[in-house]
Amino acid sequence: MKRKTKRIWLNFIGLMLFPVLMFSITGMVAGVVISDTVTLGPLGEEVIQLKMHDDDTAAISITMTSGQIYVEIYESEYFDSRIYVEEDWGPVISTFSTEFEPLWSDTFYIVLYNADTMNSASFSYTIDHDQAFQSNMIINLAIAGALLGVILVVNFTGKKNPNISS
């Protein structure tokens, strides 16, 4: 009788821990919002690094106070050499909004730079990185929870008949 009680308690504890783990893991993969106000000197730049998956979206919004800037997005492989740019926009003079959706998973660098050799540029930006990975994980965890439920039901109802020998 003690062994059966132990198994029931272990199953109960497993059922209670599963939702706690599910919600704590999905909370860790929430999207990120990066926002700042910057003044770049002549030929200055601001670099924002984002690890993105192929279904993610980065919404970029810029509001200029003075000067003008250019916006470029580089893949990690080409960031140091700057020989290939994924996307580029500019010059940004007043307000600017766009979305970037990568075709593959990688680390991308969003470069905001002032190409002017004499004047500074002041602006504020917001980058909202929406991760599709979060919704995929929730679906996968829901399927895993359903399978766990099926295993527990089979475990409790699949008792052997003592009259049948194996």
Side-chain angles (χ1 to χ4, degrees), residues 68-143:
Q68 64 182 11
I69 63 167
Y70 291 84
V71 180
E72 292 181 342
I73 299 178
Y74 293 95
E75 178 188 356
S76 62
E77 183 178 343
Y78 300 110
F79 176 66
D80 292 333
S81 63
R82 309 248 174 131
I83 58 173
Y84 176 74
V85 63
E86 290 295 320
E87 298 277 343
D88 63 333
W89 302 274
V92 177
I93 299 169
S94 57
T95 59
F96 172 75
S97 294
T98 190
E99 286 188 353
F100 174 68
E101 296 179 19
L103 300 175
W104 58 86
S105 297
D106 200 352
T107 300
F108 291 90
Y109 294 88
I110 301 172
V111 179
L112 311 169
Y113 74 95
N114 179 10
D116 196 332
T117 58
M118 305 271 267
N119 301 315
S120 295
S122 296
F123 60 93
S124 59
Y125 68 86
T126 301
I127 299 172
D128 186 3
H129 179 202
D130 183 27
Q131 296 178 331
F133 181 67
Q134 178 182 7
S135 59
N136 290 341
M137 185 184 303
I138 291 171
I139 292 168
N140 290 340
L141 288 173
I143 292 170

Side-chain angles (χ1 to χ4, degrees), residues 23-42:
F23 289 120
S24 63
I25 289 171
T26 55
M28 289 189 300
V29 296
V32 64
V33 176
I34 302 167
S35 185
D36 200 2
T37 300
V38 179
T39 299
L40 296 178

Side-chain angles (χ1 to χ4, degrees), residues 9-81:
W9 275 108
L10 285 174
N11 285 333
F12 178 73
I13 291 171
L15 282 173
M16 296 310 291
L17 284 177
F18 181 75
V20 171
L21 290 174
M22 183 180 82
F23 289 120
S24 63
I25 289 171
T26 55
M28 289 189 300
V29 296
V32 64
V33 176
I34 302 167
S35 185
D36 200 2
T37 300
V38 179
T39 299
L40 296 178
L43 301 177
E45 68 180 19
E46 174 87 2
V47 179
I48 300 99
Q49 175 183 353
L50 291 178
K51 173 66 179 163
M52 298 181 72
H53 300 281
D54 57 353
D55 291 334
D56 292 356
T57 302
I60 304 168
S61 299
I62 300 172
T63 303
M64 297 298 301
T65 307
S66 65
Q68 64 182 11
I69 63 167
Y70 291 84
V71 180
E72 292 181 342
I73 299 178
Y74 293 95
E75 178 188 356
S76 62
E77 183 178 343
Y78 300 110
F79 176 66
D80 292 333
S81 63

